[in-house]
Amino acid sequence: MNVEPAVQAKLLTLAAVDIELNRLAHRRRTLPEQQEVDRLQAERASRKDAAVAVEIVLDDLDRDIRKLEGEVDAVRQRAARDRALLEGGSIASKQLTELQHELGSLERRQGALEDELLEVMERREASKSDHDRAGAQVTQIDEQLADANRARDEALADIEVAENRCNTDRGTLVGLFPAELVTAYDAQRERAGIGAARLEGRRCGACRLELDRGEIARLTAAPADAVVRCPECNAILVRSKESGQ
């Protein structure tokens, strides 16, 4: 393939645009702002799970409290009925003894239930504090996540603007080259990441390897309009006076 040296030289501008596109694509894939969003989302899920676990504990404690309160109320009503019977003075002595015994048992039972109820209520108060703290942590992480999402979206918008600019520049540049050269360049770029580079003395600007004297002699002897390639990485080599060719 033969292409005028001035046209070949413009491949370096196209290569620079493509390198920038590669850099932008890499940045998009490894965006620190996205990594922060991912980290916060994972942390939020963990904190939300903790809050739900505390809610379950609270529900269980509330159920226990309702059950104990019902039992205490039932014992109180039974004790109140027994006291009313005692105060009425209309029962036999044997029943009186049994009633007094039952009333004593009820009072002890009520005391035990009230102690248990107090303990459960204290546990609920502690769990409520845990629940409030867990809720506050979820709210805090939601605020951080909102900020992180905004930062990620802004970074992606910046990348998109840069990519659009590069793609516009690339579209303009590609029209300057023969179709055969563009096909060869794009195939090399797809294969190795860099389609063309400057020959810098004896060094390939794409793979950065130094060529031996025999290869340099072959490149020097090639016509100025010949499209030559690096024998190591196959990138199109642009020769110029500055590169010593």
Side-chain angles (χ1 to χ4, degrees):
M1 186 190 321
N2 296 90
V3 178
E4 293 181 9
V7 175
Q8 290 190 44
K10 289 183 173 64
L11 278 176
L12 298 177
T13 303
L14 178 60
V17 170
D18 285 336
I19 287 172
E20 178 64 8
L21 282 170
N22 289 342
R23 186 190 70 80
L24 291 169
H26 176 75
R27 186 185 173 201
R28 184 186 287 276
R29 291 192 303 270
T30 61
L31 198 64
E33 290 85 352
Q34 181 61 58
Q35 294 173 11
E36 178 66 3
V37 168
D38 294 341
R39 183 189 71 79
L40 289 171
Q41 286 177 335
E43 186 174 348
R44 185 191 186 282
S46 176
R47 291 187 179 184
K48 186 63 177 177
D49 287 345
V52 170
V54 177
E55 287 177 5
I56 293 173
V57 171
L58 277 176
D59 289 342
D60 291 343
L61 290 172
D62 284 339
R63 186 178 61 251
D64 292 343
I65 288 172
R66 288 192 298 271
K67 179 176 179 292
L68 287 168
E69 286 177 337
E71 292 178 359
V72 168
D73 187 58
V75 170
R76 284 174 178 168
Q77 291 180 19
R78 182 68 177 271
R81 189 195 65 182
D82 287 354
R83 289 192 191 92
L85 289 173
L86 286 173
E87 293 170 358
S90 61
I91 58 175
S93 59
K94 182 179 179 181
Q95 290 179 317
L96 179 62
T97 301
E98 291 176 352
L99 201 58
Q100 289 173 335
H101 177 74
E102 181 180 280
L103 187 57
S105 297
L106 289 171
E107 289 175 348
R108 289 191 295 274
R109 176 61 176 161
Q110 180 179 335
L113 287 171
E114 288 176 343
D115 289 343
E116 186 177 354
L117 178 60
L118 179 61
E119 178 186 349
V120 175
M121 291 178 72
E122 288 175 347
R123 285 164 53 197
R124 190 196 186 283
E125 184 178 353
S127 294
K128 182 62 168 59
S129 296
D130 291 342
H131 180 264
D132 292 344
R133 183 164 53 253
Q137 289 177 339
V138 171
T139 299
Q140 180 185 40
I141 206 73
D142 281 342
E143 293 172 354
Q144 294 175 351
L145 188 55
D147 290 341
N149 277 321
R150 280 193 294 272
R152 186 271 317 277
D153 291 344
E154 290 173 0
L156 287 175
D158 289 343
I159 291 173
E160 185 173 0
V161 168
E163 286 176 334
N164 288 340
R165 184 183 65 249
C166 287
N167 283 322
T168 297
D169 292 345
R170 190 178 201 280
T172 301
L173 287 166
V174 166
L176 303 177
F177 306 108
E180 185 181 5
L181 181 61
V182 172
T183 299
Y185 169 87
D186 283 341
Q188 175 61 20
R189 176 181 174 241
E190 181 69 23
R191 184 168 51 250
I194 299 178
R198 187 187 301 277
L199 177 61
E200 303 167 348
R202 292 174 54 188
R203 190 180 301 278
C204 169
C207 64
R208 309 306 300 169
L209 292 177
E210 192 168 286
L211 308 183
D212 63 36
R213 295 183 183 278
E215 290 295 344
I216 291 297
R218 179 182 66 80
L219 295 175
T220 301
D225 64 350
V227 175
V228 298
R229 292 177 177 265
C230 171
E232 300 293 338
C233 69
N234 206 44
I236 296 172
L237 287 177
V238 177
R239 297 168 292 166
S240 65
K241 293 180 181 179
E242 289 77 10
S243 64
Q245 303 300 317

